[in-house]
């Protein structure tokens, strides 16, 4: 019997639905080619539903998401909703509820893609950031004293548990070991200032390293990491870091790889349900115009296939995207691609068709 995957789809806000549709188009093509089937189960979480009903993630939806094989997300963010509500109430809530403790963000420059880094080519930019995704400054621990007065105190605590740090760093070692590259893992932290939290990170990093003899390791402070990502991105293979630093350096990474049009990520619970998304936002000003770049969503779909075990389909999807960036698109920016959103999805499918049979 052919494999069937139950995928929960959250198209979300703004351009989310447009890019998710193109991703589904590409994944549908691959499922027919390789003989697996995808059953899409859509939920309308996002700003519009929140404005109508006050719903963020209703229990019934959460129940469905828990039962899915994977979640495919477009974008969350609405211009009429105060910043923070949807991010916290939907995106972060799902990461926490589903215990998606890894945020995996590849930074890879595809051929034909413009990078702001002078003299850097695809062979120089190919690394992955493993970001801890459920702790640190994102844990929501903190509070106010004397709010609204000149004596106000605001506290926001970084929570780092042994269990959380250990499972993240262990995942990073395992992932580095499985790479077809040179197998180097860099710890990115700030041990010279965060002498408690990152002392724990450094000890766990060094201890676990003993179990992975084939993985070489090094260390960089986060500020220096930003410098090296610009000056010598070829130094990096896999970087492991905490939630806040990972948030920041992956936006830097997204720019280095050509912008939000191409940057994809996975919120992973290796033992549970994982969620895949383009890492850019909902781009309200481009909504409904058929000009947004769907490649990040298509690549997120590729990461999802890889995660589901459809490796050949995932590899071919990436190869097809690389062909499209190398030979077709004028730019990755919305409205400047030389093609519409739908046409870019079609181009990827055409490249896959040209590749012929799959497995
Ligand atoms: C990201 C986003 C989120 C984060 C926001 C929207 C809460 O910036 O996925 O990187 O900070 O993690
Ligand atoms: Mn971010």
């Amino acid at each position: 019997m052919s494999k069937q995957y139950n995928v929960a789809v959250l198209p979300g806000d703004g351009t989310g639905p447009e890019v998710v549709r193109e991703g589904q188009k590409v994944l549908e093509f691959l499922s027919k080619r390789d003989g697996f089937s995808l059953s899409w189960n859509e939920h309308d979480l996002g700003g519009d539903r929140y404005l109508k009903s006050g719903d963020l993630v209703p229990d019934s939806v959460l129940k469905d998401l828990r039962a899915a094989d994977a979640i495919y997300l477009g974008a969350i963010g609405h211009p009429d909703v105060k910043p923070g509500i949807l991010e916290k109430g939907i995106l972060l809530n799902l990461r926490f509820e589903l215990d998606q403790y890894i945020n995996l963000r590849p930074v890879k420059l595809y051929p034909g893609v413009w990078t702001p880094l002078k003299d850097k080519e695809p062979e120089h930019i190919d690394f992955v950031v493993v970001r801890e995704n459920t702790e640190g400054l994102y844990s929501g621990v903190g509070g106010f004293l004397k709010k609204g007065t000149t004596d106000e105190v605001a506290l926001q605590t970084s929570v780092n548990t042994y269990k959380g740090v250990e499972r993240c760093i262990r995942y990073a070692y395992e992932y580095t070991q499985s790479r077809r590259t040179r197998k180097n893992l860099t710890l990115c932290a700030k041990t010279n200032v965060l002498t408690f939290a990152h002392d724990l990170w450094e000890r766990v990093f060094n201890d676990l390293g003993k179990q992975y003899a084939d993985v070489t390791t090094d260390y960089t402070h986060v500020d220096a990491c930003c410098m090296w990502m610009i000056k010598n991105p070829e130094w990096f293979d896999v970087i492991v870091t905490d939630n806040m630093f990972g948030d920041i350096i992956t936006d830097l990474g997204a720019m280095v790889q050509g912008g939000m049009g191409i940057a994809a990520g996975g919120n992973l619970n290796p033992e549970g349900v994982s969620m895949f998304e383009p890492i850019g936002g909902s781009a309200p000003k481009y909504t409904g115009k058929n000009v947004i770049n769907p490649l990040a969503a298509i690549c997120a779909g590729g990461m999802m296939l890889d995660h589901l075990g459809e490796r050949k389909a995932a590899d071919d999807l990436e190869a097809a995207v690389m062909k499209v960036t190398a030979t077709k698109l004028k730019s990755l920016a919305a409205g400047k691609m030389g093609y519409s959103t739908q046409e870019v999805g079609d181009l990827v499918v055409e490249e896959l068709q040209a590749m012929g049979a799959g497995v």
Side-chain angles (χ1 to χ4, degrees):
M1 222 182 78
S2 77
K3 285 202 193 126
Q4 177 165 352
Y5 304 108
N6 165 19
V7 179
V9 189
L10 308 176
D13 299 315
T15 51
E18 292 167 63
V19 296
V20 157
R21 209 174 299 130
E22 298 315 303
Q24 287 178 293
K25 185 195 278 178
V26 173
L27 266 48
E28 275 295 320
F29 174 85
L30 283 164
S31 74
K32 296 205 176 72
R33 189 196 74 170
D34 289 4
F36 58 91
S37 76
L38 294 160
S39 95
W40 306 103
N41 196 353
E42 195 169 310
H43 296 283
D44 64 349
L45 301 188
D48 288 327
R49 177 160 178 179
Y50 173 73
L51 288 171
K52 256 185 254 142
S53 63
D55 283 350
L56 288 161
V57 183
D59 288 345
S60 58
V61 174
L62 191 56
K63 199 164 152 246
D64 273 11
L65 298 181
R66 284 189 203 283
D69 292 312
I71 303 168
Y72 190 38
L73 171 75
I76 297 289
H78 195 292
D80 302 337
V81 181
K82 209 173 113 212
I85 294 180
L86 301 172
E87 291 87 337
K88 255 190 151 164
I90 300 180
L91 196 58
L92 298 182
N93 188 7
L94 290 180
R95 289 178 185 170
F96 290 134
E97 281 292 337
L98 301 171
D99 202 19
Q100 293 165 336
Y101 60 89
I102 299 294
N103 197 321
L104 192 68
R105 297 190 162 178
V107 179
K108 186 165 172 176
L109 180 65
Y110 287 154
V113 172
W114 181 81
T115 174
L117 303 188
K118 192 163 177 285
D119 299 331
K120 296 297 177 191
E121 305 289 334
E123 77 241 39
H124 301 117
I125 302 175
D126 181 7
F127 62 93
V128 177
V129 178
V130 176
R131 164 186 174 189
E132 200 291 320
N133 211 31
T134 54
E135 300 195 336
L137 282 167
Y138 280 69
S139 61
V141 172
F144 297 105
L145 270 177
K146 304 184 183 172
K147 190 174 177 186
T149 73
T150 51
D151 290 326
E152 177 163 348
V153 180
L155 297 175
Q156 193 100 38
T157 304
S158 175
V159 173
N160 296 261
T161 67
Y162 177 80
K163 181 182 154 204
V165 173
E166 202 268 353
R167 65 184 182 174
C168 173
I169 294 180
R170 183 177 293 284
Y171 178 89
Y173 272 110
E174 297 279 336
Y175 182 79
T176 308
Q177 208 170 39
S178 75
R179 291 257 291 168
R180 287 170 274 207
T181 49
R182 68 199 158 87
K183 304 191 199 301
N184 185 75
L185 180 62
T186 302
L187 172 63
C188 164
K190 188 78 183 171
T191 53
N192 53 347
V193 175
L194 305 182
T195 50
F196 307 122
H198 287 176
D199 185 75
L200 172 60
W201 277 76
E202 192 175 36
R203 274 181 284 126
V204 173
F205 183 74
N206 292 336
D207 280 353
L208 282 185
K210 295 177 194 139
Q211 297 171 26
Y212 297 88
D214 54 337
V215 176
T216 57
T217 59
D218 48 26
Y219 172 82
T220 174
H221 290 320
V222 63
D223 44 356
C225 187
C226 294
M227 237 166 56
W228 301 128
M229 276 173 66
I230 300 299
K231 188 161 185 296
N232 299 104
E234 63 277 7
W235 284 1
F236 296 113
D237 183 20
V238 180
I239 300 176
V240 63
T241 191
D242 78 6
N243 207 343
M244 188 79 254
F245 290 173
D247 178 47
I248 297 165
I249 70 169
T250 54
D251 266 26
L252 185 60
M255 284 302 121
V256 162
Q257 72 181 123
M260 289 301 180
I262 194 81
N267 299 276
L268 311 183
N269 177 341
E271 297 84 36
V273 185
S274 301
M275 176 165 78
F276 299 84
E277 55 173 344
I279 78 175
S282 57
K285 72 175 178 187
Y286 298 120
T287 302
K289 299 205 160 87
N290 201 16
V291 296
I292 194 83
N293 186 343
L295 287 181
I298 293 172
C299 290
M303 291 180 75
M304 181 166 76
L305 288 181
D306 188 59
H307 177 81
L308 291 170
E310 299 296 336
R311 303 251 149 71
K312 167 83 175 131
D315 286 351
D316 286 354
L317 181 150
E318 186 179 40
V321 168
M322 285 163 81
K323 205 71 193 291
V324 169
T325 60
T327 61
K328 305 278 192 225
L329 299 197
K330 287 203 210 122
S331 154
L332 296 190
K336 298 187 180 142
M337 300 184 289
Y339 298 89
S340 69
T341 305
Q342 284 173 343
E343 283 168 343
V344 173
D346 292 340
L347 287 174
V348 176
V349 171
E350 280 160 28
E351 288 302 339
L352 287 167
Q353 265 159 349
M355 271 178 214
V359 284

